[in-house]
Amino acid sequence: MSTKINKEWHEKNKMTKNPTMEQRMAWHIEHAKNCSCRKIEGKIAEEMRKREISVSLFSFNNTNNPSPLNPFVGI
Ligand SMILES: [Zn+2]
């Protein structure tokens, strides 16, 4: 896949000024689903690894599996 910016998504999903790590991870997970202009890397990738979150495993729709891996529930 070529690098493609989903401008529409970016317009609707602007990062807040001082995002928490949770907000950043949530943003990047959503971002990875909708756009491929940048990778998850650096501190965020590290933090996600620590929490055993992987974008491919992560699913907001998986209600059959109330996973403790999902730190974004309730935000
Ligand atoms: Zn993007």
Side-chain angles (χ1 to χ4, degrees):
M1 272 217 303
S2 58
T3 306
K4 209 176 169 188
I5 296 178
N6 186 343
K7 268 193 184 172
E8 216 176 285
W9 187 90
H10 275 273
E11 279 299 311
K12 288 180 191 164
N13 296 274
K14 291 202 171 132
M15 186 86 84
T16 52
K17 257 197 173 176
N18 291 299
T20 64
M21 186 53 81
E22 274 75 21
Q23 285 175 317
R24 280 193 206 193
M25 287 194 293
W27 187 92
H28 272 279
I29 287 163
E30 278 307 302
H31 179 256
K33 288 183 195 169
N34 292 285
C35 182
S36 56
C37 77
R38 55 168 125 154
K39 287 182 199 163
I40 299 171
E41 57 193 356
K43 272 201 176 162
I44 292 173
E46 209 177 286
E47 192 66 26
M48 285 173 75
R49 250 198 308 275
K50 262 191 229 165
R51 298 175 190 218
E52 298 184 309
I53 298 165
S54 106
V55 171
S56 58
L57 290 173
F58 199 96
S59 170
F60 288 103
N61 303 321
N62 193 355
T63 48
N64 293 328
N65 181 20
S67 169
L69 301 182
N70 186 343
F72 307 117
V73 166
I75 287 177

